[in-house]
Amino acid sequence: MTDDWPEVSPRVRELFRRGAEVALDPRADWVTDMQAAALAGSRMRPVAEDPVLAAATRRATLANLLHWAAANVQRPGARVPVNTEPEVLEAARDLVRRGLDESGLDTYRTAQGVAWRRWMEICFELTADPVELRALLDVSALSITTFIEDTVAAVSERMAAERAELTRGAHADRRAAVTLLLEGAPLSRARAEAQLGYGLSGPHTAVIVWSGSGRAAPEQLEAAAEAAVRAAGAPHRLTVVASAAALWVWLPVGTAPRTADLAAALAGAPDVRLAVGRPGRDVEGFRRSHLDAATTQRMLARLTSPQQVARYEDVQLVALLTSEPTAVDEFLADTLGGLLTADADTRATVLTYVRELGNASRTATRLYTHRNTVLRRLARADELLPRPLAEDVLGVAAALEVLRWRGASG
């Protein structure tokens, strides 16, 4: 970082302003590349694997770009003030709440590399004069690097203050105990129960409540957690604030709440999502149920699923099949052929027919349609499938189940 900012000529300032106007309305592929770079690397794996932290990081990355561009539209070539917009501070706060350190701020520097390459393309489009271009690139490099380092320093300071705040009181003890239990650390049951205020013997069902966009109000997340308590018939709950947009919840019950009951309770909060783990017992059940819920949460995020509620026991196969995203599209195309792009009614009929063990009459009853309609749709499906349904029942059913959970892109 430098205290002596270079003088910028009027011509270079004008070029800088024009380039910043372009950067202020970035192409979608540029934003995607920046956000992917921000989550790349082994040090960012804990962030990339958590849908809430990953979404917050993507928002912060875009916020940094727009902040820098807007500042250079107003005062081209001048030193850009630190970005302390909510998207950046909330992302940093979430890292601290999850027990992560400042290494998570590497995201700013890795995204900077992609931004710099795109900015150079913009600069080369603005002028072919080598003197102007060199001056523009020199001040641009200083501007981008200084802005990122200033922002990292400011956010690091804010994270330190947040960490100091979190190390005090019952909430800190609860978070620390949960982290140790999830990591399988040797923490005695008595000590863990004292820190949690929650009994670890007996049954547990874990629920993760989060905001799909990161913008749901805290009271909406709390209301969703309470809805899970009521739906499960639980006497109480253990809640840990995982981030500004996520709660980790444990219910002392051995039966997971029904999806329909939870979905009905979320009808007025379309941005809230719930992932429910399999019930388990004692300390290992406490841990495993949460890991199940986390797997379910990642699957919903990976598939951009429109579903608000999912239980691990309902999506276990889909979560396994989609764990390698690059192989999903190939599996779907190879298995379904033309059925992949067929109308939704035909696909739903095939899936229901398989669930009803090949009984067309029961399928018609389940779909509230005529048996002959079911038979026509099944015949159409056989024409579209690479192999007749009877020869690949399991594969077709699995592929259609993936599509059922997939978002609009599917």
Side-chain angles (χ1 to χ4, degrees), residues 18-268:
R18 286 163 51 192
E21 289 175 344
V22 175
L24 196 56
D25 185 23
R27 293 200 322 247
D29 61 332
W30 185 19
V31 174
T32 299
D33 289 346
M34 283 184 57
Q35 292 174 334
L39 293 169
S42 58
R43 296 180 72 179
M44 290 299 294
R45 184 174 298 168
V47 177
E49 290 180 347
D50 185 298
V52 173
L53 294 183
T57 297
R58 285 190 286 267
R59 288 193 297 271
T61 299
L62 179 58
N64 277 334
L65 167 63
L66 298 181
H67 178 92
W68 181 84
N72 278 295
V73 169
Q74 296 296 320
R75 298 179 62 228
R79 184 169 183 160
V80 176
V82 167
N83 183 13
T84 54
E85 295 174 5
E87 293 88 349
V88 173
L89 296 183
E90 287 174 7
R93 188 177 299 118
D94 287 350
L95 292 175
V96 174
R97 286 173 173 171
R98 202 61 59 85
L100 301 173
D101 59 22
E102 281 76 359
S103 64
L105 299 181
D106 285 350
T107 179
Y108 296 159
R109 298 186 179 95
T110 52
Q112 174 188 344
V114 175
W116 172 245
R117 288 194 297 274
R118 176 57 184 146
W119 178 252
M120 285 195 294
E121 293 175 9
I122 293 173
C123 291
F124 276 94
E125 293 169 358
L126 292 172
T127 180
D129 184 294
V131 175
E132 291 179 350
L133 186 59
R134 178 172 180 175
L136 177 58
L137 290 176
D138 281 347
V139 72
S140 298
L142 177 63
S143 175
I144 293 174
T145 300
T146 304
F147 166 66
I148 291 297
E149 293 306 319
D150 285 354
T151 298
V152 167
V155 173
S156 294
E157 184 176 339
R158 185 64 64 91
M159 288 177 71
E162 181 76 13
R163 188 175 293 109
E165 179 66 25
L166 290 178
T167 56
R168 298 192 291 270
H171 289 295
D173 291 342
R174 194 179 304 161
R175 273 188 296 271
V178 163
T179 298
L180 291 173
L181 289 171
L182 295 180
E183 291 175 349
L187 180 66
S188 73
R189 182 194 300 270
R191 180 183 174 190
E193 289 180 339
Q195 288 180 299
L196 295 175
Y198 176 87
L200 291 173
S201 60
H204 311 283
T205 297
V207 180
I208 296 179
V209 183
W210 79 101
S211 168
S213 69
R215 296 183 177 89
E219 54 267 27
Q220 289 181 304
L221 301 181
E222 279 291 330
E226 274 302 303
V229 172
R230 291 193 300 272
H236 58 271
R237 60 181 162 107
L238 167 66
T239 303
V240 171
V241 178
S243 72
L247 302 176
W248 290 350
V249 179
W250 282 265
L251 308 173
V253 294
T255 303
R258 294 194 313 159
T259 301
D261 294 339
L262 294 173
L266 296 182

Side-chain angles (χ1 to χ4, degrees), residues 293-356:
T295 296
T296 305
Q297 180 193 29
R298 287 194 297 270
M299 187 214 75
L300 291 175
R302 187 166 58 241
L303 297 181
T304 61
S305 176
Q307 304 288 340
Q308 282 187 270
V309 180
R311 303 190 308 177
Y312 180 81
E313 58 198 81
D314 296 328
V315 304
Q316 186 174 8
L317 176 61
V318 176
L320 179 63
L321 289 173
T322 60
S323 60
E324 293 294 337
T326 56
V328 173
D329 289 336
E330 183 178 352
F331 167 69
L332 293 176
D334 289 348
T335 305
L336 297 179
L339 187 60
L340 178 61
T341 54
D343 61 279
D345 286 341
T346 299
R347 297 192 311 206
T349 297
V350 174
L351 185 55
T352 306
Y353 180 72
V354 173
R355 289 175 174 171
E356 294 297 333

